[in-house]
């Protein structure tokens, strides 16, 4: 075999590489990975030009594909990954990220089939909507063994989407098409077997972000939330992550909407689109801690399996997406972070 490319080779997140024992190391605060994230790999990389992504063709330095959502993605043989994953009870789910490449659809089907035949893991696909034009592609994934799909809308408004992923950067992606694929996916996989990824901090207001979350909810897609992190070498390396108080408010609103406890109609915003009232008493929800955990596809126990430890921040903290249930001290910390808002203090 001359080239190390998919489908025979595939990248794993650093967390997956550690959990499968390819590399040695442990997670800060003993976080346990429950979902293996895999990423197709080709010499040409991803054809997208998304300004915030470490895989983008417009990345200015370093080897492409080295980082993607903040962590390293080493490359291993698929056979070896499957062999190691088999004996790991802690792993509930595997997710294959397609990337935008002409071979991605076909190779994704191959990887799904192998995983389905050789493991008992649940299988998600983070699909590339730009490559999908008919239900048949999604039906083939379902038939091969995938039970859920994720769609990385990422930017919360059509303007930001265009500016960061579409026409503004001569990129191939289109906002309307992405949402059309969300609709196709819910018709094939079923409502709430589809998730959308949204990244907080790309320049949207809180109101715009919550509108996107509500739009997903109304279509039958939960939101898997990310906090923007400036990827080194990406065109947005100098852009700051969103203030922590803003991220906490969005986490809480997302959880409330996705759990069916509230909706945007009851949330109040100020003139600059900042959330000022959730419309329900959120104190008990904050105490639960769960709203601040990583949101993603579930595992065998119905809890989030895709917990992506430290995918959004440095382990030294502060933790944005908790890969485990926040402890009492964490909740006190979260309350303080949220109170910055009550005092009208902006970070
Ligand atoms: S949330 Fe689901 S679709 Fe998104 S990366 Fe995790 S497993 Fe994949």
């Amino acid at each position: 075999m001359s080239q190390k490319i998919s489908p025979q080779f595939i990248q794993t997140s650093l967390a997956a590489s550690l959990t499968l024992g390819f590399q040695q190391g442990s997670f800060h605060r003993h976080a346990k990975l429950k979902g293996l994230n895999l990423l197709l790999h080709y010499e040409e990389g991803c054809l997208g030009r998304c300004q915030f992504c470490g895989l983008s063709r417009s990345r200015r330095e370093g080897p492409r594909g080295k980082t993607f959502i903040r962590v390293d993605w080493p490359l291993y043989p698929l056979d070896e990954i499957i062999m190691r994953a088999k004996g790991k009870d802690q792993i509930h789910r595997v997710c294959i990220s397609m990337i935008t490449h002409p071979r991605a659809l076909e190779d994704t089907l191959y990887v799904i089939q192998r995983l389905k035949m050789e493991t008992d893991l649940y299988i998600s696909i983070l699909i590339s909507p730009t490559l999908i034009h008919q239900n048949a592609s999604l039906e083939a994934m379902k038939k091969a063994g995938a039970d859920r799909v994720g769609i990385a809308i990422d930017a919360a408004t059509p303007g930001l989407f265009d500016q960061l992923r579409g026409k503004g950067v001569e990129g191939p992606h289109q906002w309307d098409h992405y949402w059309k694929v969300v609709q196709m996916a819910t018709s094939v996989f079923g409502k709430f077997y589809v998730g959308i990824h949204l990244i907080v901090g790309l320049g949207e207001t809180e109101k715009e972000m919550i509108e996107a979350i509500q739009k997903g909810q109304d279509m039958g897609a939960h939101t898997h939330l990310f906090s923007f992190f400036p990827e080194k070498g990406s065109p947005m390396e100098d852009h700051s992550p969103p203030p922590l108080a803003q991220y906490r408010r969005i986490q809480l609103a997302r959880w409330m909407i996705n759990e069916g406890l509230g909706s945007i109609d009851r949330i109040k915003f100020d003139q600059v689109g900042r959330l000022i009232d959730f419309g329900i008493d959120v104190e008990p929800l904050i105490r639960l801690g769960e709203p601040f955990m990583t949101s993603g596809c579930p595992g065998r126990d119905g809890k989030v399996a895709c917990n992506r430890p430290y995918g959004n921040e440095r382990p030294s903290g502060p933790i944005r997406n908790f890969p485990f249930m926040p402890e009492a001290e964490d909740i006190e910390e979260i309350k303080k972070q949220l109170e910055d808002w009550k005092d009208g203090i902006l970070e």
Side-chain angles (χ1 to χ4, degrees):
M1 195 177 306
S2 53
Q3 280 184 317
K4 292 184 174 182
I5 56 169
S6 291
Q8 302 308 338
F9 283 78
I10 198 157
Q11 288 176 270
T12 72
S13 65
L14 177 61
S17 167
L18 291 169
T19 303
L20 295 177
F22 285 112
Q23 297 185 57
Q24 298 307 309
S26 60
F27 295 106
H28 182 62
R29 292 185 58 182
H30 307 293
K32 266 198 166 186
L33 181 77
K34 290 166 63 188
L36 284 183
N37 294 85
L38 308 179
L39 178 67
L40 295 182
H41 174 79
Y42 304 100
E43 285 301 308
E44 308 80 19
C46 181
L47 304 183
R49 303 180 65 92
C50 309
Q51 297 292 282
F52 44 84
C53 179
L55 296 180
S56 162
R57 287 173 82 78
S58 43
R59 192 180 157 103
R60 278 186 277 122
E61 63 179 48
R64 268 211 319 272
K66 189 166 170 289
T67 64
F68 171 63
I69 63 161
R70 220 204 75 69
V71 285
D72 284 331
W73 288 75
L75 184 66
Y76 302 110
L78 178 63
D79 289 347
E80 180 89 18
I81 291 170
I82 291 176
M83 201 184 75
R84 289 175 184 237
K86 273 185 197 172
K88 284 268 171 203
D89 281 350
Q90 99 178 50
I91 307 288
H92 294 211
R93 179 172 287 280
V94 59
C95 180
I96 308 160
S97 295
M98 279 177 67
I99 83 170
T100 308
H101 186 281
R103 280 187 46 187
L105 203 50
E106 189 187 330
D107 291 343
T108 298
L109 290 175
Y110 173 83
V111 178
I112 301 172
Q113 278 158 356
R114 290 280 314 269
L115 287 162
K116 187 68 189 171
M117 280 188 308
E118 297 173 53
T119 75
D120 60 359
L121 297 171
Y122 290 159
I123 305 170
S124 294
I125 313 297
L126 183 57
I127 59 176
S128 295
T130 301
L131 302 176
I132 291 171
H133 300 283
Q134 46 198 2
N135 278 4
S137 306
L138 296 165
E139 280 156 5
M141 289 180 200
K142 188 176 176 191
K143 189 159 172 261
D147 69 318
R148 288 182 182 260
V149 295
I151 294 168
I153 305 270
D154 292 344
T157 71
L160 282 168
F161 189 100
D162 256 18
Q163 179 194 330
L164 301 172
R165 320 190 64 188
K167 285 198 289 283
V169 288
E170 293 172 16
H173 306 318
Q174 288 175 11
W175 167 267
D176 287 341
H177 181 68
Y178 266 56
W179 284 101
K180 189 173 152 214
V181 174
V182 174
Q183 202 165 39
M184 286 162 64
T186 55
S187 74
V188 172
F189 283 84
K191 283 198 167 188
F192 301 112
Y193 282 82
V194 176
I196 54 168
H197 288 196
L198 288 169
I199 303 177
V200 176
L202 293 178
E204 76 290 342
T205 66
E206 292 173 33
K207 183 164 185 274
E208 288 167 338
M209 178 52 71
I210 294 168
E211 280 166 353
I213 293 169
Q214 186 70 53
K215 179 177 164 122
Q217 177 74 9
D218 295 344
M219 290 173 73
H222 285 149
T223 291
H224 306 154
L225 205 62
F226 295 74
S227 179
F228 170 75
F229 185 89
E231 292 290 354
K232 191 122 187 60
S234 77
M236 289 182 75
E237 69 176 1
D238 296 326
H239 187 90
S240 303
L244 205 42
Q246 175 185 339
Y247 194 63
R248 294 288 181 234
R249 289 193 285 278
I250 301 291
Q251 281 179 307
L252 201 44
R254 182 218 60 92
W255 195 81
M256 206 175 84
I257 292 170
N258 284 173
E259 293 292 315
L261 300 173
S263 79
I264 196 165
D265 304 337
R266 297 171 68 183
I267 297 175
K268 292 196 177 66
F269 302 92
D270 65 12
Q271 292 101 322
V272 291
R274 201 159 45 128
L275 191 160
I276 49 170
D277 187 346
F278 286 90
I280 60 168
D281 178 13
V282 288
E283 200 58 34
L285 307 187
I286 298 170
R287 277 202 304 274
L288 286 177
E290 201 173 313
F292 309 100
M293 290 174 71
T294 312
S295 42
C297 301
R300 288 188 289 272
D301 52 4
K303 304 267 180 219
V304 173
C306 181
N307 55 347
R308 311 182 293 273
Y310 313 108
N312 265 200
E313 66 279 301
R314 295 192 176 83
S316 54
I319 299 176
R320 291 191 176 230
N321 288 334
F322 281 81
F324 44 75
M325 184 61 87
E327 291 171 16
E329 284 164 27
D330 299 315
I331 292 176
E332 283 316 304
E333 206 44 47
I334 290 168
K335 277 188 190 157
K336 277 194 223 131
Q337 292 158 354
L338 277 161
E339 261 151 29
D340 287 351
W341 148 67
K342 287 188 185 153
D343 300 337
I345 298 167
L346 275 175
E347 283 171 279

